Amino acid sequence: MKVLGIDPGTAACGYGIVHESDGRLRATCYGWWRTSPRERVEQRLLTIFAGVSELISRHAPAAVALEESYVGADARIALSVGQARGAVLVAASSAGVECVEYSPNRVKQSVCGFGHADKGQVARMVKAILALDEAPRPDHAADALAVAICHALAPPLLRVAG
């Protein structure tokens, strides 16, 4: 099973694909899309939509797993992340690919065994789980791979947000 993990954001949107086969996980690809705040918002969202659409077309994942939005003190950031999530959801839906969402704590619990792990711990565990030579960079890519790992490791009946 292939899973496309997404760490949504408008300025920086991480992605990572993991492939589970015979009980082993490996990274197929990972990276991030970066958009400029000088671009119009619709152009930034189109970049994310096109990137997700291209990854789905090329790799045919069974699911797209997203990290749920963290609503902190800045409402503008929450809105921006929500718009990026929307672009991802529409790209997946238009390709007929199931989408699931996981809370940041659930992703960290799944990958690190601790729901409040820091970004460094997440990156190191992603490196270990996927047997990578080095931790994925930037953090957005490591986080996206962690979301994909979370979904790939979830028992089928528990592959839901929360």
Side-chain angles (χ1 to χ4, degrees):
M1 169 177 65
K2 286 184 191 174
V3 179
L4 169 57
I6 299 287
D7 178 30
T10 304
C13 184
Y15 66 85
I17 296 179
V18 298
H19 184 202
E20 185 275 326
S21 178
D22 297 324
R24 297 196 53 166
L25 291 174
R26 65 180 171 81
T28 301
C29 69
Y30 58 89
W32 64 320
W33 300 289
R34 195 165 146 174
T35 65
S36 170
R38 286 175 264 181
E39 288 181 280
R40 294 179 54 93
V41 69
E42 63 269 22
Q43 188 59 46
R44 297 171 84 185
L45 296 173
L46 181 60
T47 297
I48 295 165
F49 175 86
V52 171
S53 295
E54 195 246 323
L55 286 172
I56 290 171
S57 176
R58 182 184 306 164
H59 297 282
V64 174
L66 293 98
E67 187 169 271
E68 287 178 350
S69 296
Y70 168 75
V71 181
D74 192 336
R76 288 184 329 165
I77 291 173
L79 176 62
S80 177
V81 170
Q83 290 173 328
R85 287 176 61 250
V88 172
L89 292 169
V90 171
S93 180
S94 67
V97 178
E98 171 193 26
C99 288
V100 292
E101 297 179 72
Y102 296 97
S103 70
N105 285 354
R106 181 162 176 191
V107 172
K108 292 172 185 178
Q109 177 71 38
S110 177
V111 173
C112 299
F114 177 60
H116 297 285
D118 64 35
K119 288 196 174 289
Q121 290 170 306
V122 170
R124 287 189 297 277
M125 286 305 299
V126 166
K127 174 187 176 221
I129 290 168
L130 299 175
L132 299 172
D133 292 333
E134 57 189 41
R137 302 298 308 152
D139 290 338
H140 304 291
D143 290 348
L145 285 168
V147 175
I149 291 167
C150 177
H151 183 72
L153 295 177
L157 294 176
L158 296 179
R159 287 185 181 151
V160 295

